[in-house]
Amino acid sequence: MGNADLRDLAAIDEVPFDDLSGSVVAVDAHNWLYRYLTTTVRWTNDSIYTTADGEEVANLVGVVQGLPKFFEHDITPVFVFDGSVVDLKDDEVAQRREDREKREERLEEAREAGDELAVARLDSQTQRLTDTILSTTREALELLDVPVIEAPAEGEAQATHMAREGAVDYVGTEDYDALLLGAPLTLRQLTSKGDPELMDFEATLDEHDITWEQLVDAAILMGTDFNEGISGYGPKTAVKAVREHGDIWTVFEAEDVYVDNADRIRDLFLEPAVTDDYEFDREIEPDLEAARAFVCEEWEVAESEVERGFERIEQSVVQTGLDRWT
DNA sequence: CTAGCCTA
DNA sequence: TAGGCTAGG
């Protein structure tokens, strides 16, 4: 059960990067990293990103190559990291474990068969956010003076909270769940080539003439990260049912369907664990020498892989620094 | 309309 | 992962 159904409900528009100039984006760090890891490592030789000790640090390449995108458009990123894993994901967790085991099996087979292309591809899919990846990312961001915030639970929920409070302008994530969490404005595709997509929460509710609670209820009927969803309920049917009957409980009653733990799932979206205990500085003054040393010397990333990224950071930060005085 | 399959 | 296509309700 993907979130493709949710996309159909969402009010989404393209937004030119220029319109985002001067804004602050709370980036779902795990989501961002995961995207970089799966796209950076795919099709490439992973020895470039592996230290002599066998630690995979492709994330550092991702950080150095990914940040210029923000700086060059005068956007301040604030990276929000996940805290403890949220409960109740049993189904999803079990499914992912199953998928991963399958991939690892196939990876073994490909290795034995000497199919290098398949190995590289499967390798990227088995990538996970290891402790090393998370801690080196944090440290690299700190050296580059990019704000880092620790969420009590899900980073996406914390980022959304900050956007709802007005502490940041946008949430940055590929995940449509941000809509269910009530993120007012969500930016997608911040990592890819073209202009980003803007997902508008209020416009979404307006379009379907439903409340936040009803949107969440419809999503539960269609299926979320936390539940399977009921067969036969796509975007149209789910929204219609919720609008007609009021909420998910009356839908259960009237249409003789049921989802386990619906009340708890609802709360995960409507009242997630978040904190007001955060602060950050929008001025970014990277210590490029220290960052270079950290990435290339301490973690042995080939200079050729990050040279251009560091240059772009240097230029874009100097550039925006000058802008402020003119 | 939805689900499932397939491809780019 | 997104979008198109199709069978089936």
Side-chain angles (χ1 to χ4, degrees):
Chain A
M1 226 24 46
N3 294 40
D5 283 347
L6 208 46
R7 185 179 221 284
D8 284 339
L9 293 181
I12 297 177
D13 274 312
E14 259 202 5
V15 54
F17 256 118
D18 288 345
D19 290 8
L20 305 176
S21 181
S23 65
V24 182
V25 181
V27 177
D28 178 354
H30 286 232
N31 183 277
W32 189 83
L33 266 178
Y34 189 79
R35 275 203 99 72
Y36 253 104
L37 289 184
T38 49
T39 53
T40 309
V41 179
R42 192 179 314 215
W43 311 122
T44 63
N45 180 354
D46 64 1
S47 64
I48 298 168
Y49 315 116
T50 308
T51 65
D53 303 340
E55 291 275 14
E56 308 244 10
V57 287
N59 58 303
L60 294 178
V61 179
V63 167
V64 176
Q65 287 181 353
L67 286 176
K69 191 119 189 185
F70 294 100
F71 301 151
E72 285 167 357
H73 296 286
D74 194 22
I75 299 169
T76 304
V78 177
F79 279 77
V80 187
F81 283 77
D82 283 6
S84 59
V85 176
V86 182
D87 230 352
L88 191 74
K89 268 191 164 171
D90 297 355
D91 277 1
E92 183 86 351
V93 168
Q95 183 64 47
R96 279 181 195 165
R97 184 182 306 130
E98 210 175 282
D99 289 349
R100 190 166 67 232
E101 279 165 4
K102 265 190 219 147
R103 277 198 299 270
E104 268 159 12
E105 256 174 51
R106 275 187 275 154
L107 185 58
E108 260 323 294
E109 288 170 10
R111 278 217 175 92
E112 279 166 23
D115 185 345
E116 279 182 41
L117 198 63
V119 170
R121 186 166 42 80
L122 290 165
D123 229 10
S124 76
Q125 295 174 356
T126 4
Q127 283 286 340
R128 275 168 291 160
L129 302 184
T130 61
D131 288 344
T132 303
I133 285 177
L134 293 175
S135 63
T136 54
T137 299
R138 278 190 182 86
E139 183 150 3
L141 289 172
E142 272 155 26
L143 292 171
L144 292 167
D145 202 28
V146 172
V148 168
I149 285 172
E150 303 294 334
E154 288 198 87
E156 197 178 21
Q158 178 64 27
T160 296
H161 176 66
M162 290 160 64
R164 292 181 68 82
E165 297 287 302
V168 300
D169 302 300
Y170 303 97
V171 172
T173 179
E174 301 308 306
D175 211 329
Y176 298 108
D177 279 10
L179 204 59
L180 302 182
L181 289 161
L185 297 171
T186 304
L187 290 170
R188 298 187 71 253
Q189 288 168 16
L190 281 168
T191 54
S192 33
K193 285 248 162 175
D195 284 328
E197 280 183 355
L198 181 64
M199 184 159 70
D200 187 321
F201 177 67
E202 285 304 328
T204 301
L205 297 184
D206 280 354
E207 192 176 307
H208 302 287
D209 191 30
I210 52 176
T211 65
W212 183 12
E213 286 81 0
Q214 287 177 316
L215 178 66
V216 171
D217 286 352
I220 294 173
L221 291 171
M222 299 186 294
T224 70
D225 275 359
F226 307 100
N227 71 288
E228 267 285 293
I230 302 165
S231 179
Y233 284 78
K236 301 287 183 184
T237 312
V239 167
K240 183 162 172 279
V242 165
R243 231 188 355 228
E244 262 174 27
H245 302 294
D247 64 33
I248 200 161
W249 315 112
T250 48
V251 170
F252 287 167
E253 225 172 287
E255 309 198 353
D256 197 28
V257 291
Y258 190 67
V259 173
D260 264 340
N261 293 321
D263 52 343
R264 291 173 65 197
I265 299 170
R266 247 183 163 220
D267 283 348
L268 289 175
F269 293 117
L270 297 173
E271 289 172 43
V274 292
T275 180
D276 285 315
D277 184 18
Y278 60 83
E279 55 179 5
F280 59 88
D281 185 355
R282 319 180 34 147
E283 281 317 292
I284 293 183
E285 292 162 11
D287 185 342
L288 283 159
E289 283 323 299
R292 277 194 170 101
F294 179 71
V295 172
C296 297
E297 285 162 39
E298 194 167 334
W299 288 96
E300 305 168 26
V301 173
E303 235 162 277
S304 57
E305 292 298 307
V306 287
E307 201 171 19
R308 179 76 190 122
F310 277 125
E311 270 171 29
R312 286 173 67 198
I313 292 175
E314 191 162 14
Q315 282 166 6
S316 54
V317 170
V318 167
Q319 184 71 44
T320 55
L322 281 177
D323 281 351
R324 293 203 178 87
W325 298 102
T326 55

